[in-house]
Amino acid sequence: MAQYDVIVIGAGPGGYVAAIRCAQLGLKTACVEGRETLGGTCLNVGCIPSKALLHASHQLHEAEHNFAAMGLKGKAPTVDWKQMLSYKDDVIGQNTKGIEFLFKKNKIDWIKGWASIPEAGKVKVGDETHDAKNIIIASGSVPASVPGADVEIDEKVVVTSTGALELPKVPKKMIVIGAGVIGLEMGSVYARLGAEVEVIEYLDAITPGMDAEVQRSLQKLLSKQGLKFTLGAAVSKVETKGGKATVTYKLRKDDSEQSAEADVVLVATGRKPYTDGLGLDALGIATTDRGQIKTDGHWQTSVKGIYAIGDAITGPMLAHKAEDEGMACAEVIAGKHGHVNYGVIPGVIYTWPEVASVGATEQELKNEGRAYKVGKFSFMGNGRAKAVFAGEGFVKILADKETDRILGCHIIGPSAGDLIHEVCVAMEYGGSAEDLALTCHAHPTFSEAVREAALACGDGPIHS
Ligand SMILES: Cc1cc2nc3c(=O)[nH]c(=O)nc-3n(C[C@H](O)[C@H](O)[C@H](O)COP(=O)(O)OP(=O)(O)OC[C@H]3O[C@@H](n4cnc5c(N)ncnc54)[C@H](O)[C@@H]3O)c2cc1C
């Protein structure tokens, strides 16, 4: 049996990136994956397939709503759902095969099967036990159910995001429980494809934790696209009968019990770490009360030589956060200085328009009692945005009142998920709003709106 420097458990964005970086740093590396294909949740049933469906359904929306105005006349396309699913599967296949290629290129052994850790330094897969000087747990997460409610998920009528990516047909009516990122993205897909979509959310606002102004704007824009929102509603049960589901919920404002029926109910109330079968308890690996593996500043668990990264530990459940931890953890194991700046991890919602944010929200700065200023610019003042029917939305930059240092940025608008990164780079360098404002931005680009928001933190924007 080979002796490895590192065995990574899980080949999601945390695990596969950790494995590649370990190999690049000269460590003999293997990666164990229980799934048939590499890439984890992200490539198989998460980020990539959902973005494929968002892309396809957005094209339909454009054809139905904007083509005629641009002089593109004719019959709008109809939906061939089977073909759309096979396009999505093809995108998944290209990406997962890409990771297989990278494993081969970097001479990483892919050990197929489900791993457990009988003791530090050993990884068991099937009947074989492999030796490893270091183990990285990157076992990811699985969908969570509705807290305190009686809900049975059958992945047919009551589905998680995994089932929602594979529905046999576009439902007439879909209820989404939870107005977080996954719920709104999948809700958008089905609304664009013609389903009546109702989103039921426990809190009084959508996208919990986001900037309040962005929350309100996004709700308004998605409502215009046909999504119905029932907020402040605690779901107590979901019952299925005759291929339909009934959701019962209590409205918190008046305690009244209500119910709604749908062909499909998507439970999108978050995800929980997946560590089943690893043997954490027997090893004495400490976890939080939410089941996340506890790690120190170098991603080492309470057991020496066993590390953990990604969705299985604390922090935002995002692919890029997992990737950054994968790289940094590999560097620590190789004796280098791996580092993740948790203050600059962007979050993106791939609806139309997109939403992106990084750093503090205004509410957080207020709670901290920090003196700050706001620079805001509407996409209505951006020529390129108007040309592509994307004038709704804005860029909002929050900067320290005295030093002008950027503390946060919140964007709702076209390509927000790409625009946010110039702000991330500026924040990594401790940059000020003036630094952004003095940087020449190509015209006509959406990014000029970021510059204008930065100008609004100083002497004022030009185009508003
Ligand atoms: C619908 C959806 C959309 C999403 N969209 C985005 C997005 O747009 N952007 C974003 O940043 N994030 C998105 N996410 C979240 C993102 O997918 C996760 O944050 C990311 O995949 C976490 O990476 P990870 O490596 O920690 O774990 P995972 O990707 O969950 O991978 C863990 C892997 O470990 C394997 N495994 C577990 N236990 C064992 C074991 N004992 N032995 C062998 N293998 C094991 C699993 O089979 C799995 O393949 C989305 C998630 C969903 C569900």
Side-chain angles (χ1 to χ4, degrees):
M1 208 63 48
Q3 158 82 43
Y4 291 101
D5 293 315
V6 184
I7 293 183
V8 183
I9 300 175
Y16 83 71
V17 167
I20 291 171
R21 183 55 108 221
C22 284
Q24 286 172 338
L25 295 172
L27 301 169
K28 184 164 176 49
T29 307
C31 183
V32 192
E33 174 54 60
R35 233 182 253 277
E36 293 292 305
T37 48
L38 301 174
T41 302
C42 174
L43 270 58
N44 289 284
V45 290
C47 325
I48 296 299
S50 58
K51 267 77 243 178
L53 293 182
L54 279 159
H55 174 71
S57 57
H58 179 63
Q59 302 307 310
L60 178 69
H61 180 91
E62 284 290 285
E64 285 172 346
H65 294 87
N66 295 328
F67 274 19
M70 292 185 285
L72 299 168
K73 301 253 166 107
K75 235 170 87 187
T78 52
V79 179
D80 179 344
W81 178 236
K82 272 211 175 90
Q83 175 58 28
M84 202 179 281
L85 288 181
S86 89
Y87 146 74
K88 180 244 339 168
D89 290 339
D90 182 52
V91 173
I92 295 173
Q94 287 180 42
N95 280 277
T96 56
K97 284 267 177 316
I99 308 301
E100 245 179 275
F101 166 78
L102 292 174
F103 270 21
K104 279 192 193 123
K105 184 179 161 200
N106 288 285
K107 301 191 175 33
I108 296 161
D109 289 343
W110 173 9
I111 304 173
K112 296 182 184 177
W114 297 97
S116 61
I117 310 173
E119 60 187 274
K122 301 221 176 286
V123 174
K124 190 164 184 279
V125 185
D127 296 332
E128 294 193 333
T129 302
H130 306 264
D131 292 329
K133 289 184 198 143
N134 302 280
I135 297 167
I136 302 176
I137 301 172
S139 52
S141 62
V142 286
S145 194
V146 189
D150 180 9
V151 182
E152 203 172 307
I153 290 163
D154 59 14
E155 294 295 9
K156 287 189 175 82
V157 179
V158 185
V159 300
T160 64
S161 55
T162 304
L165 292 164
E166 283 288 345
L167 292 180
K169 60 177 188 201
V170 177
K172 267 208 172 87
K173 163 112 194 230
M174 174 183 253
I175 291 179
V176 178
I177 306 177
V181 179
I182 293 175
L184 296 183
E185 288 185 356
M186 293 313 298
S188 289
V189 166
Y190 285 104
R192 291 169 189 167
L193 297 178
E196 186 193 331
V197 175
E198 177 175 359
V199 183
I200 302 180
E201 164 61 46
Y202 178 79
L203 297 172
D204 294 322
I206 67 169
T207 59
M210 284 236 157
D211 181 89
E213 258 184 290
V214 170
Q215 289 176 331
R216 285 193 295 273
S217 293
L218 182 62
Q219 187 181 337
K220 214 166 111 193
L221 289 169
L222 292 179
S223 300
K224 263 175 48 185
Q225 291 168 27
L227 278 82
K228 181 183 165 203
F229 290 95
T230 303
L231 304 180
V235 170
S236 56
K237 62 178 173 203
V238 180
E239 291 166 302
T240 51
K241 203 174 165 195
K244 284 194 185 275
T246 306
V247 179
T248 307
Y249 57 91
K250 202 175 245 186
L251 282 180
R252 291 195 291 121
K253 64 176 181 209
D254 57 11
D255 249 7
S256 63
E257 193 166 87
Q258 313 274 341
S259 66
E261 202 185 63
D263 304 295
V264 171
V265 173
L266 164 60
V267 177
T269 42
R271 296 177 63 82
K272 57 181 184 193
Y274 179 74
T275 55
D276 292 6
L278 287 170
L280 299 188
D281 287 345
L283 285 161
I285 290 183
T287 54
T288 68
D289 52 7
R290 296 177 55 200
Q292 299 148 316
I293 299 171
K294 285 188 185 170
T295 55
D296 65 13
H298 291 115
W299 301 279
Q300 187 157 241
T301 67
S302 48
V303 175
K304 197 166 177 287
I306 303 182
Y307 298 79
I309 56 170
D311 280 10
I313 70 169
T314 54
M317 286 181 161
L318 292 169
H320 42 285
K321 176 258 191 190
E323 288 183 43
D324 278 24
E325 288 174 343
M327 269 194 286
C329 183
E331 278 158 18
V332 167
I333 290 171
K336 294 171 151 271
H337 299 283
H339 175 70
V340 175
N341 180 357
Y342 287 100
V344 185
I345 295 185
V348 179
I349 310 177
Y350 298 85
T351 46
W352 181 264
E354 287 183 358
V355 172
S357 70
V358 65
T361 62
E362 238 187 302
Q363 294 72 36
E364 283 166 347
L365 295 177
K366 274 191 189 129
N367 294 345
E368 259 177 49
R370 182 122 185 205
Y372 67 94
K373 54 188 172 176
V374 182
K376 206 173 148 191
F377 187 78
S378 163
F379 278 100
M380 275 299 176
N382 179 275
R384 179 74 177 278
K386 277 193 290 217
V388 300
F389 308 98
E392 288 167 308
F394 56 84
V395 180
K396 176 171 163 181
I397 292 177
L398 305 168
D400 186 277
K401 194 158 191 176
E402 294 302 314
T403 65
D404 195 39
R405 186 179 177 145
I406 302 168
L407 304 173
C409 178
H410 307 277
I411 306 176
I412 175 164
S415 299
D418 293 301
L419 297 181
I420 198 74
H421 293 98
E422 68 166 299
V423 184
C424 294
V425 173
M427 286 176 76
E428 278 290 346
Y429 283 88
S432 64
E434 189 184 37
D435 290 326
L436 280 185
L438 291 178
T439 304
C440 186
H441 284 63
H443 176 76
T445 58
F446 303 133
S447 74
E448 289 171 287
V450 177
R451 185 196 199 179
E452 294 267 20
L455 282 165
C457 288
D459 295 331
I462 301 299
H463 295 92
S464 80

